[in-house]
Amino acid sequence: EDGLKGFEKANDLIPSLIITDVRMPGIDGFELSTRIKESTLTSHIPIIILTAKADQEDKLTGLKTGADEYLIKPFSAQELVLRVKNLISIRKKLREKYSKTGSFNPSQVTESSLDQKLLSKILEEINNNISDEKFTAEILAKNVAISVSQLNRKLNALIGQPAGQLIRTVRMEKAAKMLTNKEASIKEVAYSVGYSDQSNFARTFKKHFGKTPGEILPE
């Protein structure tokens, strides 16, 4: 109905993609795009701006707000559908690429400086608390100042992993590195990545890598 309601819905639903007209009551499409891209919860969402304006300056204004695509009316419905599919496909491939690893550079995951900053903070919190068995998704969410559900939606959108899974992934990769480098015994490694129960550590490790901790150890 209008730009303000669109912004509210975007924050409630965290959609996969937003298509907005420029001319709307409340706030226009340029302002909506700016707000979406400047909000931690929604900054990752691709935006397509539609407008009847053919002026190059207006197009530049739209792109400066962070919009991913800018379509001038009249346009073919087929072109719009193709652009939607392309934007969603690009993000799907990125999610798949980072869905099983905790070793990634935030700048490779997203071009958004806001999202890069959030991902860096998340990884920092996990690594700083990696030996704490009681460190959970709830604590991580509190430390980065957003709710658990919002954190999970954000991480799923960016890397295809909810918070709990990412914590586990980082722990397992750290454990594998320590074992490969013979830095400590299996029991010591388990403790260092937050597992007081060695059998639970071994089960989680095998589920993650398909091998037991002992099979990872070099000869």
Side-chain angles (χ1 to χ4, degrees):
E1 293 177 43
D2 62 62
L4 286 171
K5 288 184 179 178
F7 182 66
E8 290 171 4
K9 280 191 174 184
N11 277 274
D12 288 339
L13 303 174
I14 315 294
S16 299
L17 181 137
I18 292 170
I19 301 172
T20 178
D21 210 319
V22 168
R23 295 189 177 277
M24 293 183 292
I27 58 174
D28 65 17
F30 295 145
E31 177 64 21
L32 173 63
S33 179
T34 298
R35 292 192 187 190
I36 292 292
K37 294 298 185 178
E38 289 181 352
S39 168
T40 301
L41 293 181
T42 57
S43 52
H44 64 279
I45 301 173
I47 297 174
I48 298 176
I49 291 182
L50 310 177
T51 181
K53 296 181 180 180
D55 192 295
Q56 180 69 11
E57 188 176 336
D58 286 319
K59 183 174 181 179
L60 290 174
T61 299
L63 295 175
K64 283 177 182 177
T65 68
D68 298 78
E69 295 278 4
Y70 189 95
L71 278 179
I72 298 171
K73 300 174 184 177
F75 55 84
S76 73
Q78 186 178 12
E79 180 183 4
L80 177 59
V81 169
L82 285 173
R83 294 201 186 201
V84 167
K85 285 183 176 179
N86 287 340
L87 286 170
I88 290 178
S89 176
I90 288 168
R91 279 152 183 78
K92 183 180 178 182
K93 287 176 181 176
L94 281 171
R95 287 197 303 272
E96 290 173 350
K97 181 177 180 179
Y98 298 108
S99 64
K100 298 186 187 305
T101 180
S103 305
F104 55 80
N105 187 326
S107 64
Q108 295 174 321
V109 176
T110 174
E111 293 181 0
S112 166
S113 59
L114 204 60
D115 290 341
Q116 289 174 17
K117 185 177 179 181
L118 177 62
L119 285 174
S120 295
K121 176 65 174 173
I122 288 168
L123 290 175
E124 179 185 4
E125 287 292 332
I126 294 173
N127 282 295
N128 286 346
N129 294 278
I130 199 166
S131 62
D132 183 359
E133 187 173 14
K134 295 180 180 179
F135 185 73
T136 61
E138 288 73 18
I139 295 173
L140 174 60
K142 182 180 178 181
N143 289 358
V144 297
I146 55 178
S147 73
V148 177
S149 60
Q150 290 169 336
L151 177 61
N152 285 334
R153 282 197 301 241
K154 187 75 179 182
L155 285 173
N156 273 321
L158 289 172
I159 60 170
Q161 295 186 71
Q165 182 181 329
L166 179 60
I167 292 170
R168 188 164 55 251
T169 299
V170 173
R171 282 176 164 158
M172 290 301 102
E173 290 181 349
K174 173 69 172 177
K177 184 177 180 181
M178 292 180 71
L179 289 169
T180 301
N181 294 336
K182 293 185 176 181
E183 293 179 29
S185 67
I186 293 175
K187 185 176 181 179
E188 289 169 335
V189 168
Y191 273 115
S192 70
V193 295
Y195 287 84
S196 59
D197 185 337
Q198 193 173 331
S199 60
N200 182 28
F201 168 70
R203 284 194 302 271
T204 305
F205 192 94
K206 186 170 184 179
K207 184 178 180 181
H208 188 83
F209 292 109
K211 294 181 179 181
T212 65
E215 290 172 326
I216 291 288
L217 285 169
E219 296 291 334

